[in-house]
Amino acid sequence: MRGASGQAGQRVGLQHAGRPKSPARHGSTLVNPELKAPAMDIAALQATLRQFAADRDWQPFQTPKNLAMALMVETAELAEIFQWLTPEQSQTAHLDPAVKTHIGEEIADVLVYLLQVADHTQCDVASAVADKLVKNALKYPPLRAPTTPGAALPDPAAGKPDGD
């Protein structure tokens, strides 16, 4: 992946490749103990990512367009892990510790870029997700009777999810 300067191997944002084993030694804002909490604080993570970029003078390169393109590259790297596996193999790939680590690294890359796109476009991720879940629930009702008392019965004429 190309970083802010266009050099191969550099990464824009919080990335795993080329990162020193002890970032604190280098004055990096990479480590934020609050991010290890069970519930991730999206705003705190976005602030850490902004500071990480500022510490490296990457802000001019972190446009929504560039971040969205980087997001697509990282998503492709995640897909590449599973590319030639059968569906069954893909369901157990995480049982190999090295593969599980690789999957986690690529998921982190995708999440980092996604949060940066949201930050740079002033999109409230929590609200957007909550709104989308409501929209999808209305658009795609359950196919089985609900197990929650008082919930509505499904409409058998409902379509299939299309990802929008």
Side-chain angles (χ1 to χ4, degrees), residues 97-121:
V99 174
K100 184 174 184 172
T101 296
H102 190 193
I103 292 168
E105 290 169 345
E106 298 307 336
I107 288 172
D109 288 342
V110 169
L111 180 60
V112 162
Y113 280 120
L114 184 62
L115 290 176
Q116 288 175 312
V117 170
D119 191 33
H120 286 267
T121 59

Side-chain angles (χ1 to χ4, degrees), residues 8-30:
Q10 289 185 330
R11 294 186 178 247
V12 178
L14 267 182
Q15 303 300 322
H16 60 85
R19 156 168 91 201
K21 288 192 185 249
S22 179
R25 266 189 334 202
H26 303 280
S28 173
T29 58
L30 184 61

Side-chain angles (χ1 to χ4, degrees), residues 27-123:
S28 173
T29 58
L30 184 61
V31 176
N32 180 344
E34 294 176 20
L35 299 179
K36 297 289 185 180
M40 187 180 295
D41 181 338
I42 292 173
L45 179 53
Q46 288 173 318
T48 299
L49 294 169
R50 277 193 303 276
Q51 187 61 51
F52 187 87
D55 290 348
R56 290 151 182 82
D57 296 326
W58 286 349
Q59 304 97 321
F61 308 101
Q62 295 213 330
T63 65
K65 178 195 87 70
N66 288 351
L67 293 167
M69 290 173 61
L71 172 63
M72 296 302 296
V73 170
E74 295 301 337
T75 303
E77 289 180 14
L78 176 60
E80 185 179 33
I81 296 169
F82 304 102
Q83 182 175 9
W84 301 113
L85 301 180
T86 65
E88 295 77 19
Q89 290 170 325
S90 73
Q91 291 175 320
T92 60
H94 67 281
L95 299 177
D96 177 326
V99 174
K100 184 174 184 172
T101 296
H102 190 193
I103 292 168
E105 290 169 345
E106 298 307 336
I107 288 172
D109 288 342
V110 169
L111 180 60
V112 162
Y113 280 120
L114 184 62
L115 290 176
Q116 288 175 312
V117 170
D119 191 33
H120 286 267
T121 59
Q122 299 179 356
C123 177

